[in-house]
Each structure stands twice: as C-alpha cells, then as structure tokens.
Amino acid sequence: MSLGEFDRIDRFFAPLSRGAEGAFGLTDDAALLPVAADGAAWVVTVDALVAGVHFLPNDPADLVARKALRVNLSDLAAMGAVPYGYTLALALPPDLVEPEAWLDGFARGLRLDQDIYGIHLLGGDSVSTPGPVTLSVTAFGTVARERALRRSGARPGDDLWVSGTIGDSAIGLQVLAGADGPCVDPDATFLADRYRLPRPRVALGPALVGIATAALDVSDGLVQDAGHIARRSGVGVRIELARVPLSDSASRRIVAASSLHRDILTGGDDYELLFTAPVAQRSSVADAAAATGDTVTRIGRIEAGEGVEVLDADGRAVEGLARGGWSHF
Ligand SMILES: [Mg+2]
C-alpha cells in the first residue's frame, strides 16, 4: 500500500514549505502568518476542485496542481493583492492508480508554480475519500488595506476593460471533451492548454490598484461575471461584442463554427481580469499593462442603470446569452 501520511508529508509536501516564514517545515500543528506591513491587509481566498467537475480525471497531476494554485492566484489578483502563500487539502481515492507517481507529479507541479509566482506551501492536510480526487487550496496575499480592488466601485462613464483573450478555455474544454475531434492541430493544442493552465494576472492586478474602480476575475463567463460588477456597483454594463479580444486560434474556430461566439461569452475558466476605470485613466491602464507585460482591451463602458447588455457590431442587443440563475438584459 502507499506511504503513510507522515512519510507523504515529509517526501512530497514539506520540501514545498522551505523558505516560508512561519510554516515550520510543516512540522507543527499550524502555521504563523507574519504581521502584514503597515496599512496592508491579508487577502484570503479558497477554491475547491473535483475530478470530473473542474478537471478531467485523466489530466496529468502536475497540471491539476498548477490549475488549483492558479485559480486562487487569479482571485488574489482580482483584489489587487500580491500572493504570499497557500495551504492545501487533498483527498485521494484508495483506488488511485500509482498514487506515489501521482503525488510526485502533483508536487512537481506545485514546485514549478511556487517558483514562478514566488509563493510557498504553508500547511495542509491529506486524506482518503470514497469519491473522486478532490483538492482545496486556500491562498493568502496582501494589499494596501483601503485600496483593494472590489466589485462595487464601478461608476457610470467608466470604461470596461479585460485582460488577455476571452473564450480560449471554453473552446479548449470542448476540444478536450472530444466534441471537436482529437487534439491534432496547433490551434486545438493552444486552446486545450489555455483550459488546463490558466495564466492568472498576478502582476497586473496589483498594478491596477489606485487606477481601477472595480475588478474581478472572469471564472464563470464574461457576461455572467460582468453581471457581478453591475449588481455590486449598482450600474449597467455595456459590452461591445466586436471589441472582445480573441486569440487567433479562437478566431479561426469561430469562423468555422459561428455558434462558438456564444460560448466564448458565457463559457468559463478564462481567469482574465475584468475591470473598470475612469476615462481619464486610459493611459494609466495602458502603462500598467505595458509594465507588467499583459495585454488589456477596452470592451465597453459603465452606464447608469442595471444589468449587462451585449451589443453586436451594428449596435443591436445580442439576445439569449443568459445562463445560470441570474441575468438581466
Ligand atoms: Mg473570482
């Protein structure tokens, strides 16, 4: 049978805590977070991922680990926070094939991203489950206390911006699910990778502090998440469809199947930042993005009113984009 819990911690997880102040090499009952700098606040977020729901059961373990970390880092970025570290809860089924190889890949993925994002494992737990592989990551970051980016600060007249490209992940999931045939061409490979490995905007988020009036990360679909800004800020959000940035790969797929256009607006897992900023801040937004090496695109504006309206190239409202419980067009 597999390693005991303590051997498992020693071998796979304790090395990931090295260098973290207050983690004690995962040898004590809990970790100590250092006091945040003067005027700074801790930002805490948690995401759970379940095999078969949030990733595919046969996804490589290193990619599962990295996605679990990155979706949390995306939430920190959406608050304008700089990431510090994370804790991890892991539940593995007893019938997992080659559990040590799985854990080895999983820890390797965590190590890779820890190095990329400058964070450490601070603590965690690993248990057995009769269900599918399930993991939960809690991430910690810091932001200037009064300047965290909230969903509630958008004002009529503000521009609406989004980072990166939208829809790659939704199409990538279709590719991986086989709805689109096997992954043979470079576009399919690119799109599948965008689903499996989000690029959280960890530098852009903090760079927008003091510039953006509201922000969130797009995890449930552009239209639905824009609705959160509308609701929390008490404003209307107008999105111009033709301005929504697409990757070359997504554009080619959409030319081939126009029905995909709908999927990119309502599909999830983009992990891009959707934010608002006053018109007077346009050059500041561009400078911040240039400084962090991210692309940003102005896709619409904030209006007095409520709900989300998507306009096509002719200025006509695009209907029928509602998905899930709440929508208002
Ligand atoms: Mg979020």
Side-chain angles (χ1 to χ4, degrees):
M1 193 37 209
S2 60
L3 293 169
E5 184 186 358
F6 298 111
D7 292 332
R8 188 181 275 191
I9 292 171
D10 259 1
R11 177 166 157 194
F12 296 110
F13 296 116
L16 297 170
S17 72
R18 260 176 225 139
E21 183 189 340
F24 309 124
L26 310 189
T27 57
D28 219 310
D29 296 294
L32 299 186
L33 288 182
V35 174
D38 230 13
W42 283 104
V43 178
V44 181
T45 182
V46 60
D47 267 292
L49 281 81
V50 178
V53 181
H54 304 97
F55 59 93
L56 303 173
N58 60 351
D59 275 350
D62 58 324
L63 287 180
V64 173
R66 300 176 81 187
K67 183 162 187 177
L69 261 188
R70 288 174 179 220
V71 297
N72 278 280
L73 295 180
S74 182
D75 277 325
L76 291 182
M79 301 298 290
V82 175
Y84 174 80
Y86 66 101
T87 59
L88 166 74
L90 182 62
L92 298 179
D95 60 352
L96 187 68
V97 182
E98 295 193 64
E100 286 178 30
W102 196 92
L103 281 165
D104 194 49
F106 189 79
R108 188 159 21 89
L110 293 176
R111 164 65 65 193
L112 263 174
D113 274 2
Q114 284 192 192
D115 292 347
I116 290 173
Y117 297 110
I119 56 175
H120 295 285
L121 179 63
L122 302 172
D125 196 12
S126 97
V127 296
S128 181
T129 174
V133 173
T134 302
L135 55 145
S136 174
V137 169
T138 301
F140 302 84
T142 57
V143 69
R145 186 177 295 276
E146 303 300 331
R147 306 180 81 192
L149 303 178
R150 304 284 312 278
R151 298 175 171 187
S152 52
R155 295 292 170 259
D158 283 355
D159 292 320
L160 180 70
W161 297 81
V162 74
S163 65
T165 54
I166 292 296
D168 298 327
S169 192
I171 304 175
L173 177 59
Q174 294 179 10
V175 168
L176 285 168
D180 203 43
C183 274
V184 285
D185 66 275
D187 284 345
T189 304
F190 169 84
L191 294 164
D193 177 67
R194 286 276 285 161
Y195 169 75
R196 281 176 158 164
L197 200 58
R199 268 65 172 182
R201 304 297 175 177
V202 291
L204 181 63
L208 291 172
V209 169
I211 299 172
T213 48
L216 50 64
D217 68 320
V218 181
S219 54
D220 296 329
L222 181 67
V223 171
Q224 187 164 331
D225 284 323
H228 293 309
I229 289 182
R231 196 162 37 160
R232 303 272 32 121
S233 295
V235 296
V237 175
R238 174 171 291 181
I239 297 173
E240 293 176 48
L241 184 57
R243 287 179 175 269
V244 174
L246 305 177
S247 66
D248 291 343
S249 296
S251 297
R252 283 190 283 268
R253 292 270 156 164
I254 287 167
V255 168
S258 61
S259 61
L260 284 176
H261 221 146
R262 193 161 295 266
D263 297 341
I264 64 163
L265 295 172
T266 56
D269 285 324
D270 293 295
Y271 300 106
E272 297 293 351
L273 295 182
L274 181 70
F275 60 97
T276 59
V279 173
Q281 296 279 19
R282 278 182 191 173
S283 62
S284 303
V285 171
D287 290 348
T292 60
D294 296 292
T295 61
V296 290
T297 308
R298 198 154 44 81
I299 61 169
R301 57 180 280 138
I302 302 301
E303 318 255 328
E306 60 178 342
V308 180
E309 186 175 49
V310 181
L311 300 179
D312 67 17
D314 300 319
R316 284 190 299 255
V318 178
E319 304 292 342
L321 292 173
R323 181 197 259 195
W326 181 86
S327 66
H328 180 105
F329 295 101

